[in-house]
Amino acid sequence: MNRIEAILTIDTDNLPDNFQEIIKHEQEVVAKWKEEGILEHLFLRQTRNGAVLIFKGVNEDEVKELMATLPLYKLKKSVEYLNLIQQF
C-alpha cells in the first residue's frame, strides 16, 4: 500500500493567544485519524515548527482535504505532499 507524506510547517512568528487550545483540538483530530486507520505516523519536527504526517489508504487529494481541516492548517507557512512507495 502506498503512503502519502504531508510536511506541515507553521508560522511560529505569528502564533495566536489561544495556541494551546488549537494544539488540544489538533491532537483530537489526529487521534481520530489514527483510530480510523488513515494516519499511520505523526512526527513532530525537532525545530517545533511543524510536523510530518504519513497517511495510508487515501489518495493525495483526500490527504489535502484532510490537512485543510487541521486546526494548525490555518497557521501554515507551507505544506508539502510526497507520494511514497513502501519497499519490501
Side-chain angles (χ1 to χ4, degrees), residues 3-72:
R3 308 291 193 270
I4 307 290
E5 179 180 69
I7 303 170
L8 172 66
T9 303
I10 61 171
D11 183 2
T12 55
D13 294 331
N14 297 303
L15 297 178
D17 293 335
N18 66 338
F19 183 70
Q20 291 305 317
E21 291 174 37
I22 294 171
I23 291 293
K24 184 179 181 217
H25 189 153
E26 182 92 1
Q27 291 170 339
E28 292 168 357
V29 172
V30 167
K32 181 177 176 252
W33 290 350
K34 284 186 175 182
E35 216 173 90
E36 293 172 355
I38 58 174
L39 183 66
E40 188 170 43
H41 296 290
L42 168 70
F43 298 95
L44 299 178
R45 293 171 52 183
Q46 190 172 18
T47 55
R48 299 201 180 268
N49 69 340
V52 176
L53 300 92
I54 300 178
F55 293 88
K56 65 178 180 179
V58 289
N59 65 40
E60 186 174 340
D61 289 336
E62 291 169 318
V63 169
K64 287 178 179 179
E65 288 178 24
L66 289 165
M67 289 295 292
T69 68
L70 279 176
L72 284 178

